[in-house]
Every structure is written in C-alpha cells, then in structure tokens.
C-alpha cells in the first residue's frame, strides 16, 4: 500500500496527459505504470490546453537535454578553438592521411607538420581545414587571418608525438586542402629570383630524393617542376620533410603523362637530359628497351662518338623478342659547357631505370643534349638528387652570367 501511495502523484500527473495510462501489476505485486500502446490524440485545441497545463508553473516540463558539450576557448579575436576529447576521431584521420596516397587523392587533403611548413603553406594561400596544436602559442606564431575558417583543435603533445614522423615533433599538425599550384601565391623573393630554368622528373621513386630535388630546384630558382607519372607523390610526408618548404615556393605540376609535358612548357624551350650513360656505347646500340636499365657509368670523353644532330631510330625487337622502343641519338657534352638558352629544361632520370625513351624523344624534338657529369671511371652513376643539384646550379650559373653579359652590352654598347 505504501508503494501504491508513493505512485499516486505520478499516476495523477499521467492522467492529465493525453493518451491515457494503464496500470499493470509489477513482478513483486507492486503496481507500476506503463504507457498505453495506443495514443489517441485530442483535437488541436484540447492539445494546446493540455500543453499549457503541462507548462504551468506547478508542472514544469522535463528539461530538454543540453547540446553535447564543446569546450571552446579563444586564442585571439575571432579565433576559437576546441579541446579534443580522448578518442576524438579527427585525430585518427591524421594518421590515415599521412600514410595513404589513395586517401589523399580521394579526399583532396594533405597533411603538413611543423611550424615553418604550415606557416609557408598559409602564406602561399593553402587552405587549412583542421589544425592540431599542443599549445596556444603555436597559433599565435601563424598568420591569424588565415586560420579563421579552420577547425582549431587543441590536443595533448603526447598525442601529436605519437602520430609524428619527426624526430623532434613541434606539436603542430594541419590537414589542408590539396594545394592547387594555379591558386598559390609564391614568395616575392622566390619570384624575383626565378630563372627561365625548368626541371622535369622522370620516375623519381624515392621520397627523400624527390624532396631533396624540390629543395634544390627552389634554391636554384627554377621556374617550375614537372613530375611525370611514376614519380612518388610529392605530398607524401617524407617528401614534404625533405622538401623543407619547397612545395610552397615554386609550382609543382604532378602526374603528367609524357604527351602532356610539352603543353606545360614554354614555347621554344630546349629540353636537355642529365645522363650518366656512356655515349661511346650509344654508337653500338642506338636503341634501348623502354624502361630498361642502361649503362651506369659516366663517360671518360662524352663528346667523342656521338652525332650532333638527334635522330629517331626505328622500333626493334630485342634478343628475347620483346618489342623495344627506340631512342633517338642525342649529342652529349659536359654539364659545365654552355647548354643554357632561354628557356631551358633539364630532365633527371629515375633511380632504377634512368632516363625513359620518352624523355630522350622530348629532348631530341627540342634540339636538346645529354649533359654528362664526369665521374672517376668505375664509379657508378650519381644519386639522382645529387645530379639534379649539380646540373641545376650550373644552369643557374650560366644563365646569370649570360644575363650579366647582356646587361653590360646594353650599358656599354660597342660603337659600330
Ligand atoms: C641513379 S641515376 C640512374 C641510374 C640507372 N640505373 C641508369 O643506369 O641509368 C639517376 C639519374 O641521375 C642522373 N645522373 C646520375 N649520374 C649522372 C652523371 N654522371 N651525369 C649526368 N647525370 C647523371 C641521370 O639523370 C640519371 O638518370
């Protein structure tokens, strides 16, 4: 009976509600209340009255649950950030993006780590989506205006450390929309130092090499870099790390097939190839299999046996009967002899197979040459990044010297 008395106020409240209640007997003989499975709604007016009755001061409606708590703090005017709860799924995404090219391509997102890289990216106009940081101080060092549309998420340094690839993580990682070179604005100093010198990369597979080459290209003042299909993704974390910000200093055009390379080059360009192949061997084998490895050592005398005019050789079959793609003959010269004209491009071959037949055809069609870095006989080819550095900085030296000579001719014209 005591239990029944306890229920009485609840029962009376329930009876006020439309739809009615029915009583049922509980397991231990105590009457408990159950909602009727069928609710008959009164006409609209009565429902309003019932609602009013529910909202009377004596009968307050049950409080609506509050929205999920999001702790937001200010990092400056108009700059709000959240604190990540343990197990926040956005943190997991970071790792996925970092590791999967497929994910990066599919979602059009890239991962950038470290203060300097993120600052460079923001200044070049890259669009941040989410920024993970461990202290508010990190945000203060970045251009504030560029952060306003990003999700800012404060996480524990230990978490960043556990995702980070860096030896000394800085506590700052960002997910950005994949930058579009056509929409980037590169640093003024880079633009004013830019030379009519382009770089084409042919199957560079190693992330460390690609990053190092991009860094050298930016340092030499290259106008842009073209990456043919087969090169490693430049947005891979290891490439970004080795690139040291080069990605945001000059246009990098990716995933090109050889047919579309010429349309990405300025008109009238000469394309040269950096080549470790011994031109002496070229006389005997005017054609090589497409993609097959070629002689690895640099020549003693690169000029001796080659013809100066490039010409395409016909297709042939090799000993095993596989159809080969013929490569044209190209004149060879040492890299330190004059090869620059305005504009000029250099192709660097891949680590495994060296220069492709496509690269050699492009060079032949533009009147380009093989550029040879002489090495001690018996020493194998140079690392692609080292070769790129040597050739690019020599190209820079030649272009600047020519520029200086032209300047002097204009200042002090020789009287006819
Ligand atoms: C590691 S090498 C390629 C080795 C490859 N196994 C071959 O035999 O061709 C990669 C690229 O670096 C450049 N390179 C390496 N050594 C060079 C040299 N001595 N002179 C000019 N370019 C060189 C070439 O563009 C070459 O295709």
């Amino acid at each position: 009976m005591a239990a029944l008395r306890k229920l009485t106020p609840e029962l009376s409240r329930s009876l006020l509600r439309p739809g009615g209640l029915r009583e049922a007997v509980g397991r231990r003989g105590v009457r408990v209340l159950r909602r009727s499975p069928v609710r008959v709604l009164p006409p609209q007016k009565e429902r309003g009255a019932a609602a009013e009755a529910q909202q009377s001061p004596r009968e307050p409606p049950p409080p609506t649950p509050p929205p999920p708590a999001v702790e937001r703090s200010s990092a400056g005017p108009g700059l709000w950030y959240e604190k990540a709860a343990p197990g926040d799924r956005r943190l997991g995404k970071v790792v996925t993006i970092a590791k999967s090219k497929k994910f990066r391509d599919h979602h059009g997102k890239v991962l950038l780590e470290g203060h300097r890289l993120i600052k460079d990216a923001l200044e070049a106009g890259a669009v941040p989506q989410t920024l993970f940081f461990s202290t508010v101080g990190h945000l203060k060092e970045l251009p504030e205006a560029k952060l306003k549309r990003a999700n800012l998420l404060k996480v524990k340094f230990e978490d960043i450390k556990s995702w980070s690839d860096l030896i000394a993580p800085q506590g700052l990682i960002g997910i950005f929309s994949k930058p579009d070179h056509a929409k980037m604005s590169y640093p003024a100093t880079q633009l004013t130092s830019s030379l009519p010198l382009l770089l084409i990369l042919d199957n560079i597979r190693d992330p460390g090499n690609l990053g190092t080459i991009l860094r050298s290209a930016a340092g030499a003042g290259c106008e842009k870099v073209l990456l043919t299909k087969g090169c490693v993704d430049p947005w891979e974390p290891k490439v970004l790390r080795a690139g040291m910000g080069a990605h945001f200093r000059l246009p990098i055009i990716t995933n090109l097939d050889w047919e579309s390379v010429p349309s990405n080059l300025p008109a009238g360009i000469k394309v040269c190839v950096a080549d470790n192949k011994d031109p002496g061997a070229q006389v005997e084998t005017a054609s090589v299999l497409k993609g097959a490895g070629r002689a690895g050592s640099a020549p003693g005398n690169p000029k001796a046996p080659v013809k100066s005019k490039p010409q395409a050789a016909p297709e042939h079959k090799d000993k095993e009967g596989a159809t080969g793609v013929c490569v044209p003959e190209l004149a060879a010269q040492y890299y330190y002899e004059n090869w620059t004209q305005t504009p000029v491009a250099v192709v660097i071959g891949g680590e495994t197979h060296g220069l492709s037949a496509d690269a050699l055809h492009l060079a032949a069609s533009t009147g380009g040459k093989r550029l040879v870095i002489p090495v001690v006989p018996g020493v194998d080819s140079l690392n692609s990044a080292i070769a790129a550095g040597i050739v690019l900085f020599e190209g820079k030296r030649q272009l600047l010297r020519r520029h200086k000579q032209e300047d002097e001719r204009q200042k002090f014209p020789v009287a006819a």
Side-chain angles (χ1 to χ4, degrees), residues 83-105:
K83 278 184 191 157
D88 190 313
R89 278 179 60 213
R90 285 169 290 185
L91 314 186
K93 268 190 183 175
V94 169
V95 179
T96 319
I97 292 168
K99 293 197 174 151
S100 158
K101 176 181 185 310
K102 212 170 166 188
F103 187 94
R104 286 194 297 270
D105 289 349

Side-chain angles (χ1 to χ4, degrees), residues 100-314:
S100 158
K101 176 181 185 310
K102 212 170 166 188
F103 187 94
R104 286 194 297 270
D105 289 349
H106 191 68
H107 295 270
K109 292 175 185 179
V110 298
L111 182 88
L112 305 177
E113 182 172 5
H115 175 259
R116 175 79 193 270
L117 188 62
I118 289 180
K119 189 166 184 267
D120 288 352
L122 291 169
E123 280 169 357
V127 180
Q129 295 188 352
T130 306
L131 224 55
F132 302 97
F133 60 97
S134 58
T135 64
V136 176
H138 286 308
L139 296 184
K140 302 240 158 100
E141 290 166 21
L142 298 173
E144 239 179 60
K146 313 246 178 184
L147 297 179
K148 295 221 160 128
R149 286 169 62 194
N151 297 315
L152 305 175
L153 206 56
K154 190 166 182 291
V155 292
K156 285 188 182 140
F157 179 75
E158 288 68 43
D159 287 337
I160 291 197
K161 204 172 153 192
S162 69
W163 313 319
S164 175
D165 262 354
L166 303 183
I167 297 163
Q170 297 168 16
L172 186 63
I173 292 185
I175 298 176
F176 282 70
S177 305
K178 198 178 210 177
D180 174 356
H181 67 88
K183 293 182 185 158
M184 293 283 106
S185 45
Y186 298 105
T189 46
Q190 190 73 37
L191 297 175
T192 49
S193 311
S194 175
L195 295 166
L197 177 63
L198 286 83
L199 180 63
I200 304 172
L201 301 180
D202 179 10
N203 239 331
I204 298 290
R205 299 285 178 97
D206 182 87
N209 280 346
L210 179 58
T212 307
I213 293 174
L214 295 175
R215 187 177 177 182
S216 299
C222 278
E223 194 177 301
K224 62 176 164 179
V225 182
L226 308 183
L227 267 60
T228 58
K229 277 186 176 149
C231 287
V232 62
D233 179 16
W235 299 107
E236 158 130 347
K238 278 184 187 166
V239 183
L240 282 158
R241 212 180 320 138
M244 293 292 286
H247 293 69
F248 302 105
R249 299 194 73 85
L250 80 172
I252 299 166
I253 298 146
T254 59
N255 211 25
L256 293 172
D257 45 37
W258 280 97
E259 289 74 45
S260 53
V261 169
S263 61
N264 285 279
L265 295 172
I269 197 165
K270 183 169 84 174
V271 177
C272 292
V273 293
D275 198 0
N276 54 295
K277 186 176 181 285
D278 182 350
Q282 189 196 350
V283 174
E284 290 131 48
T285 52
S287 58
V288 292
L289 275 178
K290 185 179 187 178
R294 299 182 306 136
S297 60
N301 176 9
K303 279 182 177 173
V306 294
K307 293 175 185 168
S308 58
K309 279 206 171 175
Q311 59 183 55

Side-chain angles (χ1 to χ4, degrees), residues 274-276 294-296 298 347-355 371-373 375 381-384 387:
D275 198 0
N276 54 295
R294 299 182 306 136
V347 185
I348 299 291
E351 300 87 352
T352 315
H353 299 306
L355 293 162
L371 306 176
V372 177
I373 306 163
V375 296
S381 62
L382 296 173
N383 164 281
S384 55

